[in-house]
Amino acid sequence: MKKWVFLCLILVCGFAVYNITPFFEDMNDIKINQQDQEENEVFEVYSGNTQKIKIAEKQIYEGNLLLVNREYPVRKESVITDITSLVNHKELTKGYGLHNTNIRLSKMVTQKFSKMVDAARKDGVSNFLISSGFRSFERQKELYKEKGPDYALPAGHSEHNLGLALDVGSTQTTMYKASEAEWIEKNAWKYGFILRYPKGKADVTGIEYEPWHIRYVGLPHSAIMQEKNFVLEEYLGYLKEEKSISVKVNGKQYSVSYYQVSQSITIHVPDNHHYEISGNNMDGVIVTVFP
Ligand SMILES: [Zn+2]
């Protein structure tokens, strides 16, 4: 069977629907439906026409879901392209502090962070600052030399080299005790962020608990990871295994599908929905279809 026919069949496969009881009160609106891989069933969520799109191998290394750790480095071409110096963007840095004037970060991620800080303020949590953002490979190399392998990652292996991660602080106290950290742990997912190195996951991430380091992955991924208590390594492994899931977040239906990519592949996506493609930095791409 031709590969594209097979992939098309994956896309039109049906759903084995079950709901997972949310463990956070806030998660009451999240329902995860897992699609099984039986052929000949109807793709239920998105009716209407589909279009064929081609996915090239280089797309494995682009997007918001790239896995970066000791095993999978950031490639130079993966670095987010909208990196900006925050001190020059007063409109992006209202309501929180900057640890120093050199902090750079993706403009898109900074906008999401601002939105998150605004929401936290409404909950009475308002002493955020950004202590570190994007780091060049050169800066990471220096840091690794200065701090050593126990405290820093080698150049290219830190999420800070990608542009989608930042370290958040509190102006009042250490993040181990701060209400800012507590708020992030509970709510950051609503704004597309994950706590990348949570408690009890060092055996998976290779990094001890860091209450300050957050990573942008976007919705619905942050919601699924929160709901299922997955770190990024676990989430990408889960998608690879399930191939395709459907998730309802705040009443809106998303579908998330994994495709292995070697050289290039052709897949079908719904015609009338926005979709995004991100590589996993390993062996494939994740296609997210939005409501
Ligand atoms: Zn960090």
Side-chain angles (χ1 to χ4, degrees):
M1 190 189 306
K2 276 186 180 168
K3 192 179 275 173
W4 71 264
V5 176
F6 176 66
L7 290 166
C8 177
L9 284 168
I10 288 177
L11 194 74
V12 299
C13 76
F15 297 104
V17 180
Y18 67 90
N19 298 327
I20 292 160
T21 313
F23 65 91
F24 277 144
E25 278 174 21
D26 294 317
M27 305 290 286
N28 281 339
D29 286 327
I30 294 188
K31 289 183 181 128
I32 295 174
N33 310 322
Q34 288 168 324
Q35 295 178 341
D36 60 31
Q37 291 298 303
E38 281 171 38
E39 298 175 1
N40 307 325
E41 287 185 51
V42 183
F43 190 77
E44 288 173 12
V45 173
Y46 302 106
S47 53
N49 297 332
T50 60
Q51 53 176 310
K52 268 200 268 184
I53 55 165
K54 205 168 177 177
I55 293 177
E57 198 172 1
K58 69 176 184 135
Q59 286 175 270
I60 297 172
Y61 310 105
E62 296 166 355
N64 295 336
L65 290 170
L66 300 185
L67 179 68
V68 174
N69 56 23
R70 276 183 202 273
E71 202 178 338
Y72 296 98
V74 178
R75 297 182 173 220
K76 291 248 156 86
E77 64 270 27
S78 303
V79 175
I80 302 306
T81 52
D82 70 340
I83 302 290
T84 186
S85 169
L86 296 191
V87 76
N88 298 329
H89 284 277
K90 295 277 179 269
E91 79 285 1
L92 289 175
T93 56
K94 281 182 195 143
Y96 63 91
L98 296 176
H99 183 255
N100 62 62
T101 55
N102 302 324
I103 291 170
R104 290 184 291 161
L105 192 62
S106 149
K107 199 173 171 183
M108 177 274 288
V109 171
T110 312
Q111 282 162 345
K112 304 278 183 192
F113 180 74
S114 290
K115 217 175 146 190
M116 185 178 92
V117 165
D118 284 346
R121 193 181 311 109
K122 285 173 193 149
D123 289 345
V125 181
S126 58
N127 296 303
F128 287 94
L129 62 83
I130 296 182
S131 53
S132 187
F134 170 74
R135 289 178 209 142
S136 67
F137 285 48
E138 290 68 30
R139 176 72 194 112
Q140 190 69 32
K141 210 169 157 185
E142 285 168 18
L143 206 68
Y144 187 65
K145 248 190 207 166
E146 275 167 36
K147 303 217 167 176
D150 288 344
Y151 294 95
L153 287 157
H157 290 264
S158 165
E159 285 199 330
H160 289 280
N161 303 146
L162 185 60
L164 294 173
L166 62 153
D167 292 341
V168 181
S170 161
T171 56
Q172 306 299 302
T173 180
T174 152
M175 283 298 267
Y176 288 112
K177 296 181 193 163
S179 50
E180 284 69 25
E182 204 182 310
W183 191 93
I184 280 178
E185 206 164 327
K186 205 174 165 205
N187 299 291
W189 67 269
K190 295 172 192 167
Y191 306 90
F193 289 96
I194 55 165
L195 192 63
R196 180 69 178 89
Y197 309 115
K199 273 182 201 150
K201 295 281 186 175
D203 56 328
V204 188
T205 62
I207 309 268
E208 292 298 331
Y209 176 48
E210 286 193 1
W212 54 86
H213 181 109
I214 61 171
R215 155 77 191 265
Y216 184 78
V217 290
L219 280 165
H221 311 290
S222 53
I224 304 167
M225 290 170 73
Q226 184 85 2
E227 161 77 10
K228 293 174 117 0
N229 190 29
F230 281 158
V231 290
L232 190 54
E233 283 84 354
E234 293 168 318
Y235 179 54
L236 294 173
Y238 166 76
L239 291 179
K240 198 169 168 172
E241 211 174 285
E242 296 299 332
K243 301 283 187 277
S244 203
I245 63 166
S246 161
V247 58
K248 214 171 198 174
V249 181
N250 295 328
K252 290 176 182 164
Q253 189 90 38
Y254 300 80
S255 86
V256 183
S257 306
Y258 161 83
Y259 299 93
Q260 190 167 2
V261 179
S262 52
Q263 294 176 336
S264 75
I265 60 166
T266 302
I267 65 164
H268 285 235
V269 292
D271 235 354
N272 52 348
H273 288 272
H274 171 65
Y275 64 89
E276 276 177 16
I277 299 167
S278 171
N280 62 7
N281 207 26
M282 295 181 282
D283 57 8
V285 296
I286 289 101
V287 180
T288 308
V289 181
F290 288 77

